[in-house]
Amino acid sequence: MLSDTARKLLMIMTHSANHHAHMPSLPEMERLSGRMPVPIKAAMQELVQENYIEWNPNMPPETAIIIEGWERSDSRFKRHHSTPQDIQWGVDGSNIEYWTKY
């Protein structure tokens, strides 16, 4: 599970790469994320360790390559998929719960 800063930077980098066709620079990341350079570099290192991006810490952030643009789902949190119940409207007005219960 990613930290908030790493998640935000991944979102910013993915958006910039897909919509603006470039990777953001460090000043752009500061402006867009509201974070300082040290936490940004730590978050980028976290993204490298978690295998979301490829990046050399000695290079500028614009040289990063996105491997996976969205955070992976956490297996600890299971989503329950409920199936919607089919509402059968009777011609004779047999299903009037909507009108009587609200």
Side-chain angles (χ1 to χ4, degrees), residues 8 15-16 18 27 34 37 41 51 54 56 65 69 76 80 88 96:
K8 190 167 197 170
H15 179 77
S16 292
N18 290 336
K41 289 181 181 178
N51 212 19
E54 288 181 7
N56 181 354
I65 299 170
R76 294 180 297 169
H80 298 286
Q88 297 178 359
I96 60 170

Side-chain angles (χ1 to χ4, degrees), residues 10-89:
L10 183 61
M11 181 184 67
I12 290 169
M13 289 189 296
T14 302
H15 179 77
S16 292
N18 290 336
H19 294 284
H20 303 294
H22 79 282
M23 291 298 282
S25 63
L26 188 59
E28 280 181 287
M29 285 187 179
E30 286 180 45
R31 180 179 54 83
L32 294 171
S33 69
R35 308 297 203 276
M36 297 303 288
V38 173
I40 288 174
K41 289 181 181 178
M44 288 194 64
Q45 191 64 32
E46 179 183 347
L47 290 171
V48 169
Q49 290 172 354
E50 294 290 329
N51 212 19
Y52 284 98
I53 64 171
E54 288 181 7
W55 176 63
N56 181 354
N58 299 326
M59 300 293 287
E62 317 65 278
T63 61
I65 299 170
I66 299 172
I67 298 171
E68 193 169 349
W70 302 104
E71 186 176 18
R72 298 175 199 111
S73 61
D74 193 349
S75 61
R76 294 180 297 169
F77 304 108
K78 297 185 182 191
R79 293 185 177 164
H80 298 286
H81 296 289
S82 60
T83 57
Q85 297 178 353
D86 292 333
I87 300 175
Q88 297 178 359
W89 298 98

